[in-house]
Amino acid sequence: MTYQIKPLSCDPAKIKGMSERLIVSHYELLSWSPRDRKLVNQWASDHCHTLAGGTPILALDMYEHSYHMDFGAKAASYVDTFMDVIRWNNVERLLVQATNGRGPAGGTRQ
């Protein structure tokens, strides 16, 4: 069995909503917090503000250079396309690596 990453922690509406609300350029990160034993959705500006001790699992680049040539000012379309092409099996593999196979909340993989 696999972890249920997409439904539990990476809500596309939250990511899209965060992208649309934040006018400044930034990264949106899905990071593993070993201290809290959970996945955290966060935004990072200026290439430097991230979750202390966290391990990024998935990153969305919202700096203009990442989407402007293909999407112009339509950042929401860029986010929709990003969400459509995520390889969830890779996200799961990174989570397994970050949690040493224990998964979220200290559970074991089923």
Side-chain angles (χ1 to χ4, degrees):
M1 291 244 160
T2 60
Y3 298 120
Q4 297 288 318
I5 295 172
K6 185 175 179 182
L8 290 179
S9 57
C10 193
D11 182 353
K14 284 184 182 178
I15 290 176
K16 186 174 178 183
M18 190 184 304
S19 300
E20 291 172 348
R21 286 190 307 273
L22 295 171
I23 304 300
V24 298
S25 296
H26 64 283
Y27 289 103
E28 294 185 24
L29 303 171
L30 176 65
S31 297
W32 172 252
S33 172
R35 187 190 77 169
D36 297 326
R37 304 257 343 126
K38 68 178 185 177
L39 288 163
V40 177
N41 288 311
Q42 67 169 116
W43 69 276
S45 64
D46 301 327
H47 304 283
C48 61
H49 302 286
T50 60
L51 180 66
T55 302
I57 303 296
L58 181 66
L60 170 60
D61 184 348
M62 289 303 297
Y63 284 87
E64 290 84 3
H65 65 261
S66 62
Y67 64 86
H68 203 273
M69 291 295 290
D70 294 321
F71 295 91
K74 298 177 183 174
S77 295
Y78 164 70
V79 173
D80 288 339
T81 301
F82 175 85
M83 296 305 293
D84 288 342
V85 298
I86 293 172
R87 295 180 179 161
W88 290 106
N89 56 334
N90 288 342
V91 175
E92 178 185 1
R93 180 181 50 79
L94 292 170
L95 178 61
V96 169
Q97 288 175 355
T99 62
N100 296 318
R102 290 183 300 224
T108 57
R109 190 172 180 178
Q110 299 176 0

